[in-house]
Amino acid sequence: MGEDYLEQRMKMIWEQINRRGLKNQRLLDAFLKVPRHRFVPEDMAEYAYSDEPLIIDCGQTISQPYIVALMTSLLNLQGDETVLEIGTGSGYQAAILAQLAKLVHTVEFHPPLAEQARKVLQELGYLNVEVHVGDGSLGWPEGGPYQGILVTAAAPEPPPPLLNQLADGGKIVLPVGSRHYQELQVWERSGDNYIRESITSVSFVPLRGQHGWSEEQWPSRL
Ligand code: SAH
């Protein structure tokens, strides 16, 4: 009982994150504090620190550690921000954000995933994460405006409600594209304008909902 996987976690941080160029100490500390194995199904705990995404419930995935680190680093969090995550999934990305920001709102489409994530986050004592069930392509207006928004499912284009809920100077980090090709983009708000930057190509599950992909456009099971 009580395997804490500290050694695996340190190895993951060094080999997969630091050595690939993400060296910010606050960021690395956040990854050291969050027990990733608690966010995967129990029988997969031993794979939690490997260099790959893993299947969780409802046919969804927990992103590869490096991708979580890359997306988080692009938000440049200082600690006083309110941030929004779309696609709670396992809750792991939300826990990382909770280490680095003041308050995290996270929205999940599938109720069983939201419930499980809420449970783990509560067990681990995260008081600054609020898990909501709903269509995150509409954002979560009640909690905004946000200094940072992170979307962990691929959208055809940045959902307008999310761009609207961004505070001036805030950034949204999201995969944009189809099942054939997606790129990670950052949109920074400056008044009513947005400055777009493309980072790298990525591979995420589809964003559903009003501003996401339909089941016909992008079937869940291929
Ligand atoms: N951030 C997660 C990984 C999520 S995978 C983690 O750290 O584990 C993408 C998630 O987005 C899935 O759980 C999927 O159900 C969810 N999702 C897809 N469309 C959504 C929508 N419109 N609103 C909220 N969540 C959505």
Side-chain angles (χ1 to χ4, degrees):
M1 267 287 289
E3 162 75 275
D4 66 4
Y5 294 91
L6 184 59
E7 224 169 284
Q8 288 91 326
R9 197 145 62 244
M10 288 171 73
K11 191 162 179 274
M12 170 191 89
I13 292 164
W14 172 245
E15 291 179 358
Q16 301 176 36
I17 301 176
N18 188 326
R19 265 197 350 212
R20 289 182 185 150
L22 301 175
K23 296 172 187 290
N24 178 283
Q25 198 55 49
R26 268 189 91 232
L27 180 77
L28 300 178
D29 285 347
F31 279 82
L32 191 58
K33 291 205 185 96
V34 181
R36 183 169 160 97
H37 59 280
R38 295 289 304 276
F39 293 87
V40 304
E42 245 171 80
D43 58 346
M44 306 231 294
E46 59 176 310
Y47 306 110
Y49 297 95
S50 59
D51 194 9
E52 59 190 351
L54 296 174
I55 304 287
I56 48 173
D57 239 342
C58 302
Q60 303 301 325
T61 56
I62 174 173
S63 304
Q64 180 189 7
Y66 175 71
I67 293 296
V68 177
L70 177 63
M71 292 177 82
T72 306
S73 74
L74 291 166
L75 287 180
N76 239 321
L77 298 171
Q78 304 301 312
D80 55 353
E81 299 88 351
T82 299
V83 301
L84 174 65
E85 180 199 23
I86 305 306
T88 312
S90 68
Y92 178 68
Q93 171 77 73
I96 295 288
L97 291 171
Q99 297 283 353
L100 296 165
K102 188 171 74 188
L103 177 62
V104 181
H105 286 280
T106 180
V107 185
E108 171 57 49
F109 207 55
H110 291 293
L113 287 177
E115 199 176 309
Q116 171 63 18
R118 202 179 275 134
K119 181 167 162 260
V120 179
L121 289 163
Q122 194 179 2
E123 282 169 9
L124 294 173
Y126 286 98
L127 300 173
N128 61 338
V129 184
E130 291 185 22
V131 181
H132 310 284
V133 174
D135 175 7
S137 79
L138 302 173
W140 192 259
E142 297 92 314
Y146 301 98
Q147 284 77 45
I149 301 180
L150 206 156
V151 184
T152 63
E157 55 184 272
L162 295 183
L163 292 175
N164 276 327
Q165 288 165 36
L166 211 51
D168 196 16
K171 288 179 180 173
I172 177 167
V173 175
L174 80 172
V176 176
S178 65
R179 64 177 139 132
H180 306 294
Y181 179 78
Q182 305 160 22
E183 63 179 26
L184 189 61
Q185 297 183 352
V186 182
W187 293 58
E188 180 173 350
R189 182 167 193 167
S190 170
D192 286 332
N193 299 315
Y194 296 85
I195 304 153
R196 191 185 84 178
E197 195 186 344
S198 294
I199 307 299
T200 185
S201 70
V202 286
S203 179
F204 279 82
V205 297
L207 182 75
R208 300 297 186 194
Q210 203 166 309
H211 299 278
W213 294 102
S214 70
E215 195 60 47
E216 295 84 73
Q217 290 169 319
W218 185 341
S220 291
R221 311 212 182 276
L222 293 172

